[in-house]
Amino acid sequence: MDAPVVMVVYSDYQCPFCAVWAEQTQPTMLEYVESGDLRIEWRDIAVFGPDSERAARAAYAAGLQGAFWEFHDALFAGGEKRAAADLTEEALVTLAGALDLDPDVFRADLASVEVDEAVKANADEAAAIGAFSTPSFLVNEQAVVGAQPTEVFIAAVEDALARAAG
């Protein structure tokens, strides 16, 4: 989908502020997506260690079965990050199955070179632009760092739309 405004989200599934953003602000941003004004590109970066990396790999693997957003939403259900015990490989495969994904394909993708390279590429991209904390955002190249109120994101998107309109 092409849109005049692109929001790149750098997030970590073990970041409590990312979970709050997903619960409180993401729904408003999705209204802009539905109207064709915004495209959201998600970049999972693992800043909180192995559980974060496993969750990022799992979200990417779910995306290979067309269920990135469903998996993402499940990982941030209720605006809360999951406990480490809920991010083991087995727990993530169970979650994939609960979302009607093929658990065998999911497990294979979770361990694949393709998923490993994609997750590493997201982390490298974030590092290259200095996004070392989560959540961090780019709204048409304008940086927004931290769990800002929804109004900050509305203003950033509206400003980018105005600039795009000329």
Side-chain angles (χ1 to χ4, degrees):
M1 176 182 117
D2 199 22
V5 179
V6 177
M7 174 185 287
V8 181
V9 181
Y10 298 93
S11 179
D12 185 312
Y13 290 109
Q14 285 293 276
C15 165
F17 300 109
C18 298
V20 169
W21 188 90
E23 178 77 9
Q24 295 179 1
T25 302
Q26 181 179 306
T28 300
M29 296 299 99
L30 289 175
E31 292 174 17
Y32 285 98
V33 171
E34 291 168 14
S35 71
D37 291 327
L38 178 68
R39 182 177 76 236
I40 298 175
E41 297 180 5
W42 204 270
R43 307 283 196 274
D44 296 313
I45 57 174
V47 297
F48 290 103
D51 294 331
S52 296
E53 184 174 340
R54 201 167 27 261
R57 294 171 61 84
Y60 194 90
L64 292 176
Q65 293 189 50
F68 171 82
W69 287 109
E70 293 84 354
F71 203 88
H72 163 275
D73 291 348
L75 288 176
F76 280 150
E80 300 285 334
K81 70 180 187 73
R82 286 178 169 247
D86 294 329
L87 296 174
T88 64
E89 182 176 333
E90 286 309 311
L92 294 166
V93 171
T94 299
L95 177 59
L99 294 173
D100 294 326
L101 302 180
D102 182 319
D104 294 328
V105 171
F106 179 85
R107 188 183 301 275
D109 287 340
L110 192 58
S112 75
V113 171
E114 176 187 359
V115 168
D116 185 54
E117 288 175 351
V119 170
K120 184 179 181 330
N122 286 342
D124 290 347
E125 176 186 308
I129 65 164
F132 296 107
S133 64
T134 56
S136 292
F137 308 83
L138 288 177
V139 180
N140 276 10
E141 307 303 321
Q142 175 189 344
V144 179
V145 179
Q148 302 293 324
T150 300
E151 295 74 25
V152 170
F153 294 95
I154 291 171
V157 170
E158 291 291 340
D159 288 348
L161 282 170
R163 284 192 302 277

